Amino acid sequence: KTDECINTMSNDDEPSTFRSILPHEPQPVEAYGYLHIQGSFEPKLKKTSDEEKQEIESFWSQSSLVDAITSSLAVKKLQGLVKVKTLDEKAPFTKLKIVFESSEAAHQAYRSLRNQKMTPAMILSHMDQKFQYSSRQLQITKITTKPMLSTTIAWTRSNPPKFRRLLHSDELSLEEERKSARFVFMTNLIDVSNPPQYWSDSFLVIDAIRSITNHF
């Protein structure tokens, strides 16, 4: 089952409907690249009175949160950043859309933010230190305006079948499965006696393999 479309408010010159890019799907080629970020951006005062708690229930306005996130991403030197938009009509603002100059720039930002396990506390670390932000990792999703690929050329489920289901002794059954699934079984990718340090991180491994195979 594919992820549901993410509908967003937009200007007349922007698309209004997006869908999430599946984990094993090649990066779509389009005019801009997009990330959807979700998390708790509302701060808490480290030491507050009841009056102060009431004061920061709606700490952010749409424009102030956009400005804060934009300046933070600029400090982190994410390449190709175009703009940040809030997707909630009123506080609390928990969902953001980040627009990049290209789909490749969005992919690189996705890798960077995911690898750093980015949290609201990390992304807003330059803000006033009397506030405390959430340390829970942000949900970061690559999204696209492109429609879902046809089932005749792509596996449209969020996760492909396990490889062990394709590797069995029944040759007739295996041949039937190979006709309806498109996978390559790869071996000898690394020297197992001296694997690179990042090889224990499955996300980095898959991303490294995808970045090479996408050229073909």
Side-chain angles (χ1 to χ4, degrees):
K1 184 180 179 180
T2 59
D3 292 349
E4 294 180 357
C5 290
I6 300 172
N7 295 312
T8 68
M9 297 177 62
S10 65
N11 298 328
D12 293 338
D13 60 340
E14 291 185 2
S16 59
T17 302
F18 295 80
R19 67 172 179 85
S20 53
I21 300 174
L22 298 175
H24 54 281
E25 182 180 352
Q27 187 72 20
V29 178
E30 50 191 329
Y32 292 96
Y34 307 92
L35 293 183
H36 180 272
I37 292 183
Q38 184 168 348
S40 177
F41 296 102
E42 289 294 326
K44 298 179 180 178
L45 283 172
K46 293 181 179 178
K47 293 181 180 180
T48 73
S49 66
D50 290 338
E51 291 77 20
E52 287 172 326
K53 285 182 180 178
Q54 180 68 29
E55 183 181 306
I56 65 166
E57 277 185 358
S58 299
F59 180 81
W60 297 110
S61 66
Q62 285 183 313
S63 59
S64 64
L65 179 58
V66 165
D67 289 344
I69 298 295
T70 301
S71 62
S72 178
L73 295 180
V75 169
K76 296 182 183 303
K77 298 181 179 180
L78 292 186
Q79 301 298 313
L81 177 65
V82 175
K83 64 180 175 180
V84 177
K85 292 187 66 176
T86 58
L87 303 182
D88 299 293
E89 295 184 32
K90 58 183 181 179
F93 303 108
T94 61
K95 300 174 185 176
L96 303 173
K97 181 179 71 178
I98 306 180
V99 184
F100 292 86
E101 291 178 349
S102 66
S103 55
E104 181 60 28
H107 179 61
Q108 294 300 327
Y110 172 80
R111 292 174 60 180
S112 175
L113 296 174
R114 282 288 300 269
N115 292 346
Q116 295 178 66
K117 302 184 185 301
M118 190 62 63
T119 67
M122 294 167 64
I123 208 168
L124 295 169
S125 59
H126 65 294
M127 300 295 291
D128 193 325
Q129 293 303 305
K130 71 179 181 181
F131 296 112
Q132 183 174 345
Y133 296 90
S134 173
S135 59
R136 178 171 293 184
Q137 187 173 348
L138 293 167
Q139 296 179 19
I140 304 172
T141 308
K142 292 188 293 183
I143 56 177
T144 179
T145 60
K146 296 289 186 180
M148 183 63 67
L149 297 173
S150 166
T151 55
T152 61
I153 62 172
W155 183 273
T156 54
R157 298 181 185 178
S158 59
N159 291 302
K162 301 294 184 181
F163 277 108
R164 63 175 178 271
R165 296 178 184 171
L166 303 180
L167 303 174
H168 46 67
S169 58
D170 185 347
E171 293 186 6
L172 291 178
S173 175
L174 178 59
E175 186 61 31
E176 287 300 314
E177 289 190 52
R178 284 176 171 167
K179 289 178 180 178
S180 59
R182 293 162 177 81
F183 297 97
V184 176
F185 183 71
M186 308 172 91
T187 59
N188 299 322
L189 292 172
I190 62 168
D191 179 2
V192 293
S193 63
N194 186 29
Q197 185 175 3
Y198 69 82
W199 204 254
S200 60
D201 188 324
S202 59
F203 173 77
L204 291 178
V205 173
I206 293 172
D207 199 59
I209 294 173
R210 182 188 291 115
S211 66
I212 294 173
T213 55
N214 278 350
H215 292 292
F216 302 96

